Amino acid sequence: MNMNVSFGGLSLKNPVMTASGTFGFGLEFAPYGDLTKLGGIVVKGMSLKPREGNPMPRIAETPCGMLNAIGIQNPGVENFIRQALPVLPWKEVAVVANLYACDAEEFGELADILAGEEGIAALEVNVSCPNVKEGGIAFGQDPKQICKVTEAVKKKAGNKPVMVKLSPNVTDITICARAAAEGGADSLSLINTLSGMAVDIHNRKPRIANVIAGLSGPAIKPVALRCVHQVVQAVDIPVVGIGGIASAEDALEFILVGAHAVQVGTANFLRPDFSFDLVDELEKLLEEIGAGSLEEFRGSLELPL
Amino acid sequence: MSLRNCRNVKVLEVSPVGQLKRPDEFFEIKLEYPDWDGWKPGQFVMIRPAGWELDLLWARPFSICSADGDTLTLFVQKVGRGTGRIVALKPGDTVSIWGPLGNSFAMEPEIPTLLLAGGIGIAPFCGYVEQHPHPENLRLFLAHRLSLDCYPFAALSERVEGVCMRDDQPEDLQKIIAVMKEQIVEYAAKDGLILSCGPTPFMKTVQRFAAECGVRAQVSLENRMACGVGACLGCVTKDGSGHHVQVCTRGPVFWADKVEL
């Protein structure tokens, strides 16, 4: 079956992407599979300057999920371009840069730097990281800010497609989706982590040093699916589904509600070859269920009248 | 590195270690050998039973104790839900395994080397002793909380000089610390090497005395991990210059003067 997908200025050999923050710069997973087999790799969120991230502990396991508050620890955009990008097989797999900044101007600067990089297929804008006290949360929850940041990135992105990653921690995600579309986003990816918390009754302390953390994993899949469903109905730009995908069936559920592609996040921790295997399993399952093509299946959810 | 070194292997045997007081805490787990090219003492593996499905999500990291070409042996201390379910595995059960991961302990065959183990921290030294060409240059010191037969101490002390002390009574801890200091001073005097693995307070003690005496020392960290391959940034520690580095890929072994504990 033809697994190619083209949407929002991106052309992928299959709809399986890896989600930012769960796949490093991709190279960490090279021993476990062929990176060029993937549809796309969204690399770890990067900022203008290197960031040390949050104090430890940063992660906690929860039922069918996990909490994290890493705090966008990253070597900065220049080090990424110098060190990681040249060794990534970007000619054969779409490498998507994930941008993190604290104001629209900084987002613009990041886009400006990355726009000139041949190895970058698209820019994903992180307006929704709930882990970082300074910034992220305000953008993700304020439609005006989402629009403004999207415009700022779009203005400097040159010919790079811009994907805006939405937070589910809002009253109505379709308002945020429309704001990003209005700002000129070529596509949307959703959802980022759900805001959560875990505490320890024995030592009476939070299990995560940042106290508030982002919940991910299969536990959030129903929320993610609902968000993708609503956003697909609300905007005309393509949507990439993210949230708890841990099997080919999960991935197809997002495509059934209308996603053009999916991003695998926490499941990369189940085993490091998970995403590579998913590429094969997705095609197999599509054939098994008798879908004519990926395109025919996409968005073919039959809703009650 | 070869491709696809995440594999499914079968559990061969799970047996409790130490029957005297707490037969339910320490276990030796034997797995089918995952067909590695090789491994080094101090490295670890990530293990995730197939039966976990979607809960729990993370694999668990364990030091490699020994691997003889047919069998991979791990020591597991039951401390929570994950390890509880790992020690309940039955022969024939399938686990995903990826590794060997991380760096390894320094091995300088001609140099007198002191192995300082706190409890289950003895695990990586099994392989170390086995692979060391001159075990006569090694001394193993074990500080332990449970009865000695819970730890693979007897087998190891057949091959190397072994010293052990039990942390049982309130006054024992200070005695242990005093003996640790004596030994570190001794190895500093003979320009030796110190390797340690154990709970963080134990390794902090090693770090402090090693710095005071100016002797080279390594510590092996066992932070909570999600991925084991350097991606999730959940296991970081601070290096000597205060930067966060992954324990899974930049460690688990660090020179004591180049890590913040």
Side-chain angles (χ1 to χ4, degrees):
Chain A
M1 192 178 288
N2 178 11
M3 296 299 281
N4 292 343
V5 284
S6 292
F7 62 92
L10 265 172
S11 192
L12 312 178
K13 65 180 72 156
N14 64 64
V16 177
M17 308 174 80
T18 55
S20 182
T22 65
F23 211 66
F25 288 129
L27 303 164
E28 294 86 343
F29 289 79
Y32 303 95
D34 178 1
L35 294 175
T36 67
K37 195 175 170 183
L38 301 169
I41 298 171
V42 188
V43 296
K44 172 77 186 158
M46 64 186 89
S47 45
L48 276 176
K49 298 271 169 280
R51 288 175 58 99
E52 281 301 326
N54 288 332
M56 289 283 280
R58 293 174 164 187
I59 55 174
E61 216 171 13
T62 61
C64 294
M66 63 175 281
L67 287 162
N68 88 82
I70 308 300
I72 321 282
Q73 179 185 332
N74 81 97
V77 64
E78 299 288 359
N79 282 318
F80 165 72
I81 290 170
R82 256 202 313 272
Q83 289 159 16
L85 192 54
V87 271
L88 272 166
W90 52 265
K91 284 185 180 160
E92 295 159 277
V93 58
V95 174
V96 178
N98 180 283
L99 279 55
Y100 174 81
C102 297
D103 58 51
E105 195 181 18
E106 258 185 63
F107 267 115
E109 273 181 70
L110 272 169
D112 195 32
I113 294 167
L114 289 158
E117 290 303 321
E118 195 188 356
I120 296 295
L123 309 180
E124 183 180 61
V125 184
N126 179 3
V127 294
S128 46
C129 188
N131 306 333
V132 182
K133 287 170 184 163
E134 46 185 50
I137 201 151
F139 294 131
Q141 298 184 332
D142 181 349
K144 281 200 196 83
Q145 288 293 324
I146 292 174
C147 182
K148 196 175 140 194
V149 165
T150 309
E151 277 173 351
V153 172
K154 194 61 195 167
K155 210 164 117 189
K156 299 280 185 172
N159 60 358
K160 306 285 186 208
V162 174
M163 182 186 290
V164 176
K165 186 169 182 177
L166 299 180
S167 167
N169 304 311
V170 293
T171 310
D172 184 350
I173 196 165
T174 63
I175 296 173
C176 302
R178 286 195 198 95
E182 196 187 314
D186 297 289
S187 63
L188 302 172
S189 55
L190 56 139
I191 57 175
N192 207 323
T193 56
L194 281 158
S195 190
M197 182 170 170
V199 297
D200 183 338
I201 60 159
H202 301 288
N203 66 16
R204 305 187 185 198
K205 287 181 179 160
R207 289 190 188 271
I208 304 263
N210 192 58
V211 186
I212 307 288
L215 180 65
S216 66
I220 72 164
K221 194 191 71 175
V223 179
L225 207 57
R226 181 268 295 170
C227 289
V228 170
H229 168 69
Q230 288 180 317
V231 167
V232 164
Q233 312 293 316
V235 294
D236 292 328
I237 53 175
V239 171
V240 176
I242 321 169
I245 293 170
S247 68
E249 183 166 350
D250 293 340
L252 281 187
E253 288 172 14
F254 281 90
I255 294 170
L256 178 62
V257 303
H260 278 71
V262 295
Q263 290 181 14
V264 176
T266 303
N268 290 311
F269 306 152
L270 290 177
R271 47 185 294 155
D273 53 7
F274 180 86
S275 289
F276 304 105
D277 288 349
L278 184 65
V279 173
D280 298 327
E281 285 163 14
L282 194 63
E283 183 174 357
K284 221 170 76 190
L285 185 58
L286 263 172
E287 278 164 8
E288 254 175 54
I289 62 171
S293 69
L294 196 55
E295 203 165 331
E296 175 268 313
F297 186 71
R298 186 177 60 240
S300 65
L301 181 70
E302 295 175 12
L303 292 168
L305 294 171
Chain B
M1 223 183 301
S2 60
L3 280 182
R4 303 275 310 181
N5 52 6
C6 174
R7 293 176 172 82
N8 286 335
V9 298
K10 297 271 184 233
V11 175
L12 300 175
E13 195 184 328
V14 181
S15 41
V17 178
Q19 297 295 337
L20 293 179
K21 284 199 171 163
R22 294 279 297 274
D24 61 341
E25 189 169 338
F26 285 87
F27 294 80
E28 185 184 74
I29 297 195
K30 291 188 184 296
L31 302 171
E32 279 177 336
Y33 187 66
D35 198 22
W36 295 332
D37 295 337
W39 63 281
K40 289 177 181 160
Q43 290 190 295
F44 67 99
V45 288
M46 297 293 282
I47 300 287
R48 188 172 185 277
W52 285 7
E53 297 185 355
L54 297 181
D55 192 52
L56 308 155
L57 285 186
W58 299 339
R60 297 295 191 268
F62 298 103
S63 287
I64 302 166
C65 280
S66 71
D68 64 5
D70 296 317
T71 310
L72 169 67
T73 307
L74 310 170
F75 278 103
V76 177
Q77 182 175 14
K78 192 170 121 184
V79 292
R81 224 152 59 91
T83 46
R85 286 167 69 179
I86 284 173
V87 302
L89 288 168
K90 299 280 177 264
D93 286 347
T94 301
V95 299
S96 316
I97 176 167
W98 56 102
L101 300 166
N103 63 2
S104 54
F105 282 117
M107 194 175 283
E108 301 173 6
E110 310 300 331
I111 303 291
T113 303
L114 175 64
L115 312 177
L116 293 173
I120 192 80
I122 195 172
F125 296 130
C126 298
Y128 193 88
V129 167
E130 202 174 275
Q131 291 196 9
H132 200 283
H134 295 298
E136 67 275 14
N137 288 339
L138 299 177
R139 180 192 294 166
L140 170 68
F141 172 84
L142 171 71
H144 60 105
R145 183 172 47 84
L146 301 179
S147 69
L148 195 58
D149 68 336
C150 292
Y151 309 86
F153 181 78
L156 285 179
S157 53
E158 281 172 18
R159 305 195 55 182
V160 301
E161 182 191 356
V163 183
C164 61
M165 289 180 79
R166 186 161 182 189
D167 182 11
D168 192 33
Q169 301 301 315
E171 64 274 18
D172 291 342
L173 189 59
Q174 285 314 311
K175 288 185 197 159
I176 289 171
I177 291 171
V179 172
M180 280 169 71
K181 183 169 186 179
E182 260 169 43
Q183 304 222 6
I184 291 170
V185 168
E186 182 191 332
Y187 275 74
K190 50 187 176 189
D191 210 10
L193 174 65
I194 292 169
L195 310 178
S196 79
C197 184
T200 304
F202 179 86
M203 290 194 295
K204 273 188 177 172
T205 307
V206 174
Q207 187 186 42
R208 179 160 56 93
F209 291 146
E212 280 172 19
C213 307
V215 59
R216 292 181 307 141
Q218 291 189 322
V219 293
S220 177
L221 275 59
E222 39 185 23
N223 288 8
R224 186 178 303 145
M225 291 175 185
C227 71
V229 300
C232 74
L233 304 180
C235 70
V236 299
T237 190
K238 282 191 175 169
D239 68 8
S241 7
H243 296 302
H244 280 128
V245 293
Q246 298 96 319
V247 168
C248 62
T249 50
R250 302 283 291 275
V253 178
F254 293 87
W255 288 102
D257 59 350
K258 294 200 167 58
V259 66
E260 284 180 29
L261 292 175

